[in-house]
Amino acid sequence: MSKFKVEIATGSDGSVSFDIPLRISKRGYRKLVQLTSPNAAERPWDTQSTAMQRALGRAERWRRMLESGEATSIVDLAEKENTDFSYIARLLNLTTLAPPLIAAILDDTLPSGTTVNDLAINPPLLWGEQVALLELKRGPIRR
């Protein structure tokens, strides 16, 4: 038995219409069809983190390592993580993003086509300017 309700209506002209509770959203460059019923089954690819969410998590972990003294510098951190110094320096900029941008990353509501580089390379210092620059480049944040 189905966990969501499909409503079927017939018109006076004999046409049939279906009302299926679903939502089409963009996840990166692909479209995702999600059931909106409260009892809808979760699919693994609906709950996996996006690349942007993983980058934000990595940046926060690296910031904590630097603040706690576990790594003494970005160079030391790059050696411990076996990665490039410039990559770490770029991703650490994600830790200074405006709260609405952080929320948009976590909720996966950033404008379609937004990349890590859009947010991590030379972000403005003022939070309002960060949001305005992203919306100028990629469009408004989806609510």
Side-chain angles (χ1 to χ4, degrees), residues 31-100:
K31 290 185 180 148
L32 183 66
V33 177
Q34 298 173 317
L35 301 174
T36 58
S37 168
N39 298 332
E42 289 290 325
R43 301 176 299 185
W45 54 87
D46 289 343
T47 57
Q48 290 177 347
S49 58
T50 63
M52 189 75 74
Q53 292 166 346
R54 288 190 303 272
L56 181 63
R58 199 173 297 131
E60 284 295 328
R61 184 172 56 86
W62 290 340
R63 181 189 57 80
R64 284 193 304 268
M65 288 174 72
L66 288 168
E67 288 179 350
S68 70
E70 188 177 336
T72 57
S73 67
I74 296 176
V75 174
D76 182 35
L77 184 60
E79 288 174 4
K80 287 182 181 200
E81 294 291 315
N82 197 23
T83 190
D84 187 45
F85 164 86
S86 64
Y87 176 70
I88 291 177
R90 188 174 352 140
L91 282 192
L92 281 172
N93 285 333
L94 294 177
T95 63
T96 64
L97 289 178

